[in-house]
Amino acid sequence: MAKTPDMTKTMQDMMANFPIDTSSMQDAMKSQGVLGEKLTRVALSAAERSTEISANWAKDSIARMGELASAKQEPSDYAKAMSDFASAYAELAAEHMAAYAEVAKKVQMDTVDLMLTAGKDIAADAQKVTEKATRDTQAAVKKATSAAETK
């Protein structure tokens, strides 16, 4: 009866001749970590600034409410106070919404900048890895070819 040949040694030799470089994966993971850290900083900075804007808006509103709540001598003074409060609050709202828009614009610009930079870095890294893999594969093929010719 024919015996099935053991291909284990052949496969091990073949895999040993085709090097696999895991450093590119490690570099990719490090790059992803750095990108994530930078994006987190952008988000946290925006959250901090938004919180400051909200707190200022609340303080300004409360201060205006104090003026509105004070006792008046004439009934018409209440109407005037309410009118003044409404126009001041509309002005405050416009100012604070503009501040929020600036925060959003900054986040958008920072994010686009980070993504463009990351894209360039990834493209450069991919080119380096591809070139190295091509050189390594060509060397392995030459080695395997010369080894096969000597047998």
Side-chain angles (χ1 to χ4, degrees):
M1 212 154 171
K3 186 176 179 188
T4 306
D6 185 14
M7 298 298 287
T8 305
K9 177 73 171 131
T10 306
M11 290 299 289
Q12 287 173 345
D13 291 343
M14 184 181 78
M15 293 305 287
N17 286 327
F18 287 98
I20 298 172
D21 185 15
T22 59
S23 66
S24 62
M25 289 299 290
Q26 291 171 343
D27 292 344
M29 293 300 288
K30 287 178 187 175
S31 296
Q32 284 295 101
V34 169
L35 177 62
E37 180 182 344
K38 289 177 181 177
L39 287 171
T40 300
R41 280 192 204 138
V42 168
L44 291 175
S45 174
E48 181 179 356
R49 182 67 184 120
S50 294
T51 303
E52 290 171 5
I53 293 168
S54 295
N56 286 337
W57 194 350
K59 285 179 185 178
D60 291 344
S61 296
I62 291 168
R64 301 279 179 190
M65 285 288 229
E67 295 169 11
L68 181 65
S70 64
K72 313 286 187 250
Q73 294 296 327
E74 297 292 322
S76 62
D77 292 342
Y78 287 103
K80 183 179 180 329
M82 188 60 162
S83 175
D84 290 346
F85 174 78
S87 44
Y89 193 80
E91 188 177 316
L92 282 175
E95 288 175 18
H96 289 97
M97 292 309 289
Y100 281 126
E102 287 298 317
V103 170
K105 188 168 101 174
K106 183 176 180 345
V107 167
Q108 183 180 18
M109 290 186 330
D110 290 350
T111 302
V112 167
D113 184 46
L114 284 172
M115 295 310 258
L116 288 174
T117 302
K120 288 176 187 175
D121 292 347
I122 289 169
D125 291 346
Q127 183 177 359
K128 288 177 192 173
V129 168
T130 303
E131 289 171 356
K132 184 180 183 315
T134 301
R135 286 192 306 271
D136 291 349
T137 303
Q138 287 173 345
V141 167
K142 286 179 184 176
K143 183 178 174 184
T145 303
S146 65
E149 289 174 356
T150 59
K151 286 185 180 180

